[in-house]
Amino acid sequence: MKRVRVFKFGPDYLDPQILERGSKAPVVQLDLWMAGEEWCKQQIYRAVTEGKADFVLVEGAMGLYDGNDCSADLAAKFGIPVALVMDVRAMAQTAAAIAVGLRNYRDDFDMVGVIANKCGSNYHGQLVRDALPDDLPLWAALKRDESIELPERHLGLVQPSEQKEDWIESRLESGADLLEEAGILPFLDTLKPVQFMAQHIPAVSPDALSGKTIAIARDDAFSFTYTANITLLQDMGAKICYFSPIRDGSIPTEATAVWLPGGYPELHARALSDNKSMISSLNRFHEDGKPILAECGGFLYCMEALVDLGGNSFRMAGLIVGTGTMKVKGG
């Protein structure tokens, strides 16, 4: 059994939640603009050395070349081989032409294979395979299969915590079985090792936050956090605890600071509003002059009211004057 560590390219909150379920290990976001090349390399180095990873997988963001710091840039700078995943619905040989065009668009990274997703039949996959050149093989052809589809909504995929127990795991297992049946494993064995060296990252003071306990909101309404940020707080000596503004009655008594991250408060506005005990606890925490970091959805929770997409208004914590109003896309 090989140890696999998965990373997500770009500042994504939702995909890592699913990738963590599949890899059973923390998933760190790699963003060249936000964190820098050296820091990103250090995260992979730590995964291999401290985490004893045998295999590292990085999920790209959007298209291969989209963005000023795109997935292709990461592959080029880190020497990571690229496997192109394509939705091949309504195309056959054209899929091969697009894949070759993407491969030849730049020459500073190595595209080693193609995974054709949502094939209509075995024959459909064979058409794509036959049209690809010998130096760009088809790693796998996956048929359209509802058993491995993941539901989406605004901002991205639906969070695993909102699904039935083991629902995500069963979908991931089904997807893994399909990839194995499609013959992907021999191609993985042909990949050459990529070497990562320790980077010179400025050390943080291990006692900068000694004696501090940071309570982080974590439930279906608040879940948009970066693993690296939490790790940094711990490296600086802070203790971390979690609480649910939906279900718990108060902020943890040991908390010296509160972090209200982003998420989907608009989908749980009634439950948040009805939990008056938690709102009172948050107000007392604020009145005591203790620090509160609120961002995105957490900021909405701190306002006086939140209006959901249905036009329903719910009272929130009232720490900040104003009302947050959800709008349809482009509204």
Side-chain angles (χ1 to χ4, degrees):
M1 181 72 70
K2 295 193 177 196
R3 296 187 185 91
V4 178
R5 281 295 303 273
V6 183
F7 293 83
K8 171 65 182 177
F9 181 68
D12 191 300
Y13 292 114
L14 292 167
D15 289 8
Q17 296 181 33
I18 295 171
L19 298 174
E20 285 183 357
R21 294 290 189 95
S23 64
K24 296 179 173 57
V27 171
V28 174
Q29 294 90 337
L30 303 177
D31 192 286
L32 295 171
W33 182 80
M34 290 176 64
E37 182 177 337
E38 292 77 16
W39 185 90
C40 291
K41 286 182 177 179
Q42 182 70 6
Q43 303 318 301
I44 299 180
Y45 175 78
R46 289 181 64 175
V48 175
T49 55
E50 299 174 18
K52 307 299 183 183
D54 301 301
F55 195 90
V56 171
L57 176 67
V58 182
E59 181 191 358
M62 300 186 293
L64 183 61
Y65 297 112
D66 295 325
N68 292 327
D69 285 310
C70 61
S71 299
D73 291 328
L74 185 81
K77 291 178 179 180
F78 290 14
I80 299 175
V82 172
L84 180 68
V85 181
M86 290 188 64
D87 184 336
V88 299
R89 286 177 297 178
M91 67 176 86
Q93 290 88 347
T94 301
I98 293 172
V100 171
L102 288 169
R103 193 268 306 270
N104 294 343
Y105 188 74
R106 280 170 52 174
D107 61 2
D108 56 350
F109 68 90
D110 189 16
M111 185 180 293
V112 293
V114 176
I115 298 173
N117 196 20
K118 297 188 176 181
C119 292
S121 63
N122 290 334
Y123 180 63
H124 184 185
Q126 190 61 47
L127 289 175
V128 178
R129 177 178 285 106
D130 292 344
L132 285 166
D134 292 340
D135 61 350
L136 186 59
L138 185 69
W139 277 18
L142 301 179
K143 294 181 184 177
R144 290 192 289 269
D145 191 335
E146 293 183 356
S147 71
I148 61 173
E149 291 183 359
L150 301 177
E152 298 182 59
R153 64 178 173 216
H154 65 286
L155 301 184
L157 298 172
V158 175
Q159 300 175 108
S161 62
E162 298 180 56
Q163 307 290 351
K164 294 180 181 178
E165 186 177 0
D166 296 332
W167 187 88
I168 287 290
E169 285 78 2
S170 66
R171 299 246 155 176
L172 296 175
E173 287 291 343
S174 296
D177 290 342
L178 289 176
L179 284 168
E180 186 173 1
E181 291 169 8
I184 197 172
L185 294 182
F187 291 105
L188 298 181
D189 291 336
T190 66
L191 296 177
K192 298 177 181 179
V194 179
Q195 187 175 23
F196 286 87
M197 306 297 293
Q199 304 295 305
H200 297 291
I201 307 296
V204 297
S205 172
D207 57 1
L209 294 176
S210 179
K212 306 296 183 182
T213 298
I214 301 171
I216 304 175
R218 184 171 68 177
D219 55 22
D220 291 346
F222 305 103
S223 62
F224 291 1
T225 57
Y226 293 131
T227 298
N229 285 346
I230 297 173
T231 300
L232 177 61
L233 293 173
Q234 293 172 320
D235 289 345
M236 295 172 70
K239 293 182 179 179
I240 302 295
C241 63
Y242 298 93
F243 70 102
S244 168
I246 293 178
R247 294 182 297 272
D248 294 337
S250 65
I251 294 169
T253 56
E254 66 270 27
T256 55
V258 163
W259 179 5
L260 300 170
Y264 289 101
E266 70 276 13
L267 299 182
H268 305 276
R270 183 179 298 279
L272 291 169
S273 182
D274 288 346
N275 193 350
K276 294 179 174 52
S277 176
M278 175 58 72
I279 288 177
S280 296
S281 176
L282 185 61
N283 273 270
R284 289 193 300 271
F285 196 90
H286 180 253
E287 290 166 1
D288 289 341
K290 297 178 181 178
I292 299 173
L293 170 63
E295 53 186 5
C296 194
F299 193 88
L300 292 174
Y301 180 52
C302 288
M303 299 183 80
E304 293 172 303
L306 175 59
V307 180
D308 67 13
L309 287 172
N312 305 300
S313 180
F314 300 93
R315 290 190 61 81
M316 294 287 112
L319 304 183
I320 302 171
V321 176
T323 297
T325 303
M326 300 302 299
K327 297 287 189 179
V328 295
K329 187 174 182 180

